[in-house]
């Protein structure tokens, strides 16, 4: 009986750890840390620059709804982008699907994911809509094999990319420290 209990506990612990890993695996570093690193990297460039792929949001099969587990990262991202120093930054939402289904359906679902995420950024996180652009790529540009359920899950995604004009990053860092 004792071994059975321990086996059950070990199994439940393993399931819990796998769920946590799945939740964290799609998350990159914090949006603020990522943006600051990109600003330092591009501080000598003039004009608008590509600041990178900030985060990826993955979707279950046939879903266009964004999971609430991404909310803390979206909140941090939008708070960072609403600061006066980053008012010129813009977001490009790049939607993708897996290879399941016809190409036109895949393109439509990838656009719909981007549209719904844009609405969330506007309505829940108060971003200005004119700062957000949507692109739908359907099943093109897979990041994993479409032959496995895990690969198809990774391919059903919206990537959040940033563009903007970077000003003096020392000034940015000082202002953020003062705000704390």
């Amino acid at each position: 009986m004792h071994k059975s209990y321990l086996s059950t506990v070990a199994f439940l612990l393993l399931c819990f750890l796998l769920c946590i890993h799945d939740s964290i695996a799609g998350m990159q570093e914090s949006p603020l840390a990522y943006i600051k690193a990109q600003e330092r990297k591009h501080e000598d460039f003039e004009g608008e620059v590509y600041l990178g792929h900030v985060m990826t949001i993955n979707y279950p099969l046939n879903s266009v709804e964004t999971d609430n587990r991404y909310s803390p990262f979206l909140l941090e991202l939008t708070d960072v982008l609403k600061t006066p120093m980053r008012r010129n930054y813009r977001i490009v939402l790049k939607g993708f699907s897996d290879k399941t289904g016809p190409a036109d359906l895949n393109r439509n679902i990838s656009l719909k994911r981007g549209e719904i995420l844009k609405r969330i950024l506007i309505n829940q996180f108060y971003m200005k809509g004119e700062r957000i652009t949507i692109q739908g790529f359907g099943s093109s540009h897979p990041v994993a094999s479409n032959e496995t359920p895990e690969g198809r899950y990774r391919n059903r995604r919206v990537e959040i990319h940033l563009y903007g004009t970077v000003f003096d990053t020392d000034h940015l860092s000082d202002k953020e420290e003062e705000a704390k």
Side-chain angles (χ1 to χ4, degrees):
M1 183 126 165
H2 183 64
K3 286 183 182 180
S4 173
Y5 174 76
L6 288 176
S7 296
T8 302
V9 169
F11 175 76
L12 292 174
L13 181 60
L14 178 62
C15 289
F16 176 73
L17 291 173
L18 288 173
C19 288
I20 290 175
H21 178 265
D22 181 49
S23 295
I24 295 171
M27 305 292 181
Q28 293 81 20
E29 64 187 305
S30 85
L32 178 59
Y34 179 85
I35 291 169
K36 282 183 170 186
Q38 290 298 89
E39 288 169 340
R40 281 186 218 98
K41 182 177 172 184
H42 294 93
E43 67 186 347
D44 294 329
F45 291 86
E46 290 191 26
E48 185 177 74
V49 296
Y50 174 62
L51 293 166
H53 172 188
V54 179
M55 68 184 288
T56 298
I57 296 178
N58 291 99
Y59 295 82
L61 182 63
N62 296 324
S63 176
V64 294
E65 299 300 322
T66 303
D67 191 311
N68 287 335
R69 70 183 169 146
Y70 296 104
S71 291
F73 284 83
L74 293 173
L75 176 61
E76 182 180 341
L77 174 64
T78 55
D79 282 352
V80 169
L81 295 178
K82 288 186 280 185
T83 60
M85 291 93 52
R86 297 182 181 96
R87 68 184 166 275
N88 68 358
Y89 287 21
R90 61 187 183 87
I91 298 171
V92 177
L93 302 175
K94 297 182 179 184
F96 300 91
S97 68
D98 63 23
K99 210 168 189 165
T100 307
D104 59 334
L105 179 64
N106 287 336
R107 186 168 186 285
N108 287 339
I109 199 168
S110 68
L111 280 169
K112 188 72 170 171
R113 287 176 177 141
E115 289 168 3
I116 290 177
L117 182 55
K118 179 178 179 175
R119 253 186 275 147
I120 289 169
L121 293 173
I122 293 168
N123 297 332
Q124 291 180 17
F125 298 101
Y126 307 106
M127 286 296 298
K128 292 185 177 181
E130 58 270 11
R131 294 179 67 186
I132 305 169
T133 305
I134 304 164
Q135 298 174 342
F137 295 95
S139 60
S140 64
H141 313 300
V143 293
S145 169
N146 278 295
E147 302 305 315
T148 66
E150 296 83 13
R152 288 189 294 275
Y153 175 75
R154 289 188 54 216
N155 289 331
R156 294 187 301 265
R157 68 195 190 280
V158 171
E159 297 176 355
I160 301 175
H161 295 261
L162 287 182
Y163 295 81
T165 303
V166 178
F167 296 106
D168 178 18
T169 55
D170 291 332
H171 176 72
L172 288 174
S173 297
D174 293 342
K175 288 286 187 186
E176 285 170 349
E177 290 303 316
E178 288 174 16
K180 288 183 181 178

